[in-house]
Amino acid sequence: MNTKIEEIISKFDFGSPVIAYNQFGNGHINWTYRVETENGGLFVLQRINTYVFRDPVGLMRNIELLTNFMRKKEKDPRKVLELVPAKDGKTFIVTDDDEYWRVYVFVKDSVCYDQAETPELFKESGRAFGNFQNMLADFPVSELIETIPNFHNTPARYAAFEQAVSEDSAKRVSGVTVDIENYLSEKGFASFLLDKAAAGEIPLRVTHNDTKINNVLFDCKTNKALCVVDLDTTMPGFAAMDFGDCIRYAGNNAAEDEKDLDKVFVRMDLFRTFAEGFCGICGKNLSRAELILCPEAAKLITLETGLRFLMDYLQGDVYFHTAYPEHNLVRARTQFKLVRDMDVRMNEMRQIIISILDK
Ligand code: GN1
Ligand code: MG
């Protein structure tokens, strides 16, 4: 019994009495519950992390606009997320202590994976994110707010990182000087995509910005991708970064927080199969100029994510959920190993993309 959760539940219209609720999922940011109703309905109740998302009202407006737009193109209810309105008609509720909560319909007979258990599954996730690009290709980008300003602005991330190093608020800098130097040695690469955009070579698009494979739902019987979830960071960005984050997370031979760095490298079979899935679906809607940058974008997002983990470690683990005290440092080291591995494989990755585009 949790009276707080029950009070929150009572503010939404589930269409039938709620008979159970349990915490579930393993996201790093929001708190999530699965809610079950008497007539067999399943829902996802989530508290929006307002430390991370400072404008939850603007965020919910983004999601309303995006899901309504996609639903006009896709009639299958399992293929676009659906918000459940609160009893007052809004798409979220605010508690007395200023917590923001929302509810989605649970996508029936769906399953989500934390790793690309088979190449085919990874290809399917490529199709899912490719399809997401396609559905939103004509969405008016300027309608969306930036739910986290400068989210994938890597130079801005470096500036924040350097400030965190100089403040040393958790007194952890002296123990990780090598890690800090490693990350600083890549600072020159941080503006790679922003420079291309400033030169007019690549456009701003609606991008998901958190394309981990566990943000894709699959049909539990066929393992075909159904839809993309976690739309909190969907905002203007570069398509190649969405591709890149998939490789960072699920193209890695090991987990995001693997301690044995010998196990951390990009699996080229997975890279190829993902690229075939993604480019096969949205290759015609995106330009060759942006797709060709996918390998560099994979390195850039890996560098940026690792930098964020290290910065959070230096600040005393205030942002990402952690399971043990060194967790963010472990994640940062894993990401850096992957960055170095991508340098070695950069040419090979580029050739794979070119061969797919030339087909
Ligand atoms: C966070 O919430 P989750 O676990 O899907 C983070 C992403 C990181 C990711 C690293 C809003 O995503 O940017 O890439 O952790 N989301 C936010 O695993 O910061
Ligand atoms: Mg997520």
Side-chain angles (χ1 to χ4, degrees), residues 133 152-154 190-198 201-209 211 235-245 278 286 290 293-294 297 300-301:
Q133 275 295 325
H152 285 332
N153 180 334
T154 319
S191 64
F192 182 80
L193 282 184
L194 286 171
D195 293 345
K196 300 276 178 199
E201 290 173 34
I202 56 170
L204 261 190
R205 298 191 182 275
V206 178
T207 48
H208 181 277
N209 296 307
T211 54
M235 57 180 142
F238 303 123
M241 286 291 254
D242 269 5
F243 179 106
D245 209 11
F278 186 85
L286 304 187
E290 54 193 329
L293 298 177
C294 284
L300 188 60
I301 189 71

Side-chain angles (χ1 to χ4, degrees), residues 269-290:
D269 60 330
L270 291 181
F271 182 90
R272 179 184 293 279
T273 197
F274 181 84
E276 285 169 356
F278 186 85
C279 299
I281 290 281
C282 69
K284 297 214 165 47
N285 275 330
L286 304 187
S287 67
R288 188 179 174 95
E290 54 193 329

Side-chain angles (χ1 to χ4, degrees), residues 27 210 212 214-215 230:
D210 186 12
K212 306 201 289 196
N214 59 18
N215 282 332
D230 194 355

Side-chain angles (χ1 to χ4, degrees), residues 41-60:
L42 286 177
F43 301 87
V44 177
L45 169 70
Q46 255 182 345
R47 192 188 94 189
I48 303 171
N49 181 331
T50 48
Y51 175 80
V52 171
F53 298 105
R54 301 290 166 115
D55 179 5
V57 177
L59 177 151
M60 289 310 296

Side-chain angles (χ1 to χ4, degrees), residues 240-277:
M241 286 291 254
D242 269 5
F243 179 106
D245 209 11
C246 294
I247 301 303
R248 174 191 79 78
Y249 191 79
N252 178 0
N253 177 60
E256 183 182 65
D257 55 0
E258 172 61 55
K259 289 182 183 157
D260 179 356
L261 296 185
D262 290 340
K263 291 187 184 152
V264 176
F265 56 89
V266 180
R267 275 193 37 198
M268 297 310 291
D269 60 330
L270 291 181
F271 182 90
R272 179 184 293 279
T273 197
F274 181 84
E276 285 169 356

